Amino acid sequence: SLASCLAVLGAFLGLGSAFLWLPAFLALLEGRAKAGSGAADILFNFNPVGLPGKLVAGAASIEQVSSGTPHIFCGTLVLFLVLVFFLNRDISRKVKFSGLAVLAVLLVSFIVRPLNIVWHGFSPNYAFNFRYAFLFSYVMIGLAQYGLTRISAVGKKEMGLAAGLILVLILGVVAIRGRMDLEFVSIAGCAVSLAALAVAFDALVGNRRSRACAVLVLVSILEMGVNLGLSWDAVIADPETEMLHQEQYEAFCQRLSPVIDEVKQRDSGFYRMEKTLYHDMNDPMFFSYNGLSHFSSSQQKHILRLLEKMGLKNDRDICVYYRTGSTAGVDSLFGVKYLLSEEDMQTAKGYEEIHR
């Protein structure tokens, strides 16, 4: 039968590409998954009561970026049109149920940790959780677009109900902001979302439907722009995010790039280079030279621990970096031929200085 043929073809294609996915899968099991063992013992990722806070503009902080709740904000207009979609009697129940089912699966996956781990290849995350959250926004935008094309069948009563629900949501978020540890919610962002809701509602319900499209586009652009500005300011204001400051980043690159380029022109052989000053753990990848410092989700623990025993810094079994390094013998063993440092390496390791 056709189904059997498709099943055989799928199995063949899956096994045929095993030379690519199997090593990566085994590396994940040996690396991040094993380092995070026991994470699946916790049932819930967060209190779902705080999740609506991510539906308003400017709801961001450095903690939210690295280890907070899912980033699902896609605009107040989209949220409004999604509610209108479900209130539209001209849309079949089957279509509504399909959309609701997809959103429900994603929401439950956010909250229930074992399901969240499945979405990440059965590997617990240390940071930047819910990397599939864009799917929620994608589905929301799709439902909003579907509802907008059929909005002529929606009356003022249904639109008023949708707007009222969003108003209650935003005011509720503001009310519980201090009690539920929702400091990442911006009062200015809530005000922007309320303004966007008011303008969109007026454009769709009032006597300006002929200009509604232009108004809705303008509202979306402005709200998204304000959301970007508020979110960026919230992240940059944190002292732990110095790597995001453009001035420091440019200064670091301008300082190191000429020296690294000089080494590459001097020596085109096979060797490693390291340094004792850092912008990020993956500086070797950024500056395109062979090094020992590295951060990767699939980094295997036994390699990290070997390098730790050799004198390098092992950070929580997820990354390793040279820092002050080890002995000259270990450098030689790993092929470290050039070392960039602000310290006196002639005295510390007996290295010859070739550039100052």
Side-chain angles (χ1 to χ4, degrees):
S1 65
L2 179 61
S4 300
C5 293
L6 290 175
V8 172
L9 178 61
F12 175 78
L13 293 176
L15 294 175
S17 60
F19 71 95
L20 286 175
W21 62 259
L22 186 57
F25 178 72
L26 294 176
L28 283 171
L29 290 180
E30 176 63 26
R32 185 72 71 88
K34 185 174 290 186
S37 59
D41 296 338
I42 302 175
L43 184 57
F44 300 112
N45 284 310
F46 54 84
N47 188 338
V49 176
L51 187 58
K54 281 298 185 68
L55 292 172
V56 298
S61 67
I62 187 61
E63 291 81 10
Q64 289 297 308
V65 170
S66 60
S67 58
T69 50
H71 297 284
I72 56 176
F73 175 76
C74 48
T76 305
L77 174 62
V78 169
L79 181 60
F80 176 69
L81 290 175
V82 168
L83 292 177
V84 170
F85 165 86
F86 286 110
L87 294 173
N88 191 336
R89 297 179 180 178
D90 197 41
I91 299 176
S92 68
R93 293 182 179 180
K94 183 179 179 180
V95 174
K96 293 179 182 178
F97 178 79
S98 299
L100 182 62
V102 175
L103 292 177
V105 168
L106 291 170
L107 285 172
V108 173
S109 298
F110 292 151
I111 298 168
V112 180
R113 180 163 294 192
L115 293 178
N116 180 55
I117 292 175
V118 172
W119 281 93
H120 292 93
F122 302 92
S123 177
N125 284 44
Y126 276 103
F128 303 106
N129 301 319
F130 316 107
R131 303 183 190 191
Y132 56 97
F134 70 94
L135 293 174
F136 185 88
S137 299
Y138 177 82
V139 174
M140 290 279 286
I141 293 172
L143 296 179
Q145 186 274 336
Y146 189 91
L148 182 61
T149 59
R150 293 158 176 79
I151 200 167
S152 59
V154 182
K156 294 183 178 181
K157 180 179 179 181
E158 288 79 10
M159 288 193 186
L161 177 59
L165 290 173
I166 297 176
L167 177 62
V168 170
L169 182 146
I170 296 176
L171 295 179
V173 168
V174 174
I176 66 173
R177 180 172 175 265
R179 303 176 184 177
M180 295 296 300
D181 193 26
L182 302 181
E183 283 77 11
F184 62 87
V185 174
S186 168
I187 299 298
C190 291
V192 169
S193 291
L194 284 174
L197 174 64
V199 174
F201 180 79
D202 179 65
L204 290 171
V205 178
N207 298 319
R208 298 187 300 161
R209 285 207 175 190
S210 59
R211 295 183 293 168
C213 183
V215 173
L216 296 180
V217 170
L218 182 60
V219 166
S220 295
I221 293 175
L222 291 176
E223 185 183 22
M224 289 298 178
V226 172
N227 175 70
L228 172 62
L230 292 174
S231 302
W232 185 256
D233 288 343
V235 173
I236 289 297
D238 193 284
E240 296 182 3
T241 59
E242 67 276 357
M243 70 174 62
L244 296 178
H245 290 276
Q246 183 177 351
E247 297 80 8
Q248 297 180 9
Y249 172 73
E250 290 179 348
F252 185 84
C253 293
Q254 292 172 1
R255 183 183 179 193
L256 264 70
S257 292
V259 181
I260 294 174
D261 291 340
E262 180 181 335
V263 173
K264 292 180 181 179
Q265 293 175 3
R266 177 196 299 265
D267 193 339
S268 60
F270 183 73
Y271 57 87
R272 282 194 173 97
M273 186 190 319
E274 265 300 344
K275 54 187 179 60
T276 61
L277 57 161
Y278 287 90
H279 178 70
D280 185 73
M281 296 303 99
N282 284 327
D283 283 347
M285 296 180 67
F286 175 75
F287 289 104
S288 188
Y289 65 84
N290 298 319
L292 291 171
S293 302
H294 187 60
F295 168 78
S296 171
S297 296
S298 60
Q299 186 82 308
Q300 297 184 356
K301 285 203 305 180
H302 68 269
I303 296 177
L304 299 174
R305 291 175 179 176
L306 170 64
L307 294 174
E308 181 182 21
K309 292 178 180 179
M310 292 292 187
L312 277 70
K313 172 65 176 178
N314 177 8
D315 187 0
R316 297 169 293 167
D317 271 349
I318 58 174
C319 64
V320 65
Y321 56 101
Y322 189 85
R323 203 171 61 169
T324 56
S326 187
T327 64
V330 171
D331 286 349
S332 178
L333 176 65
F334 288 123
V336 179
K337 188 175 180 180
Y338 299 97
L339 180 62
L340 280 63
S341 178
E342 297 174 312
E343 305 169 17
D344 184 5
M345 290 292 106
Q346 287 182 306
T347 302
K349 293 188 177 183
Y351 288 176
E352 177 186 356
E353 184 179 285
I354 61 174
H355 180 91
R356 178 179 291 272

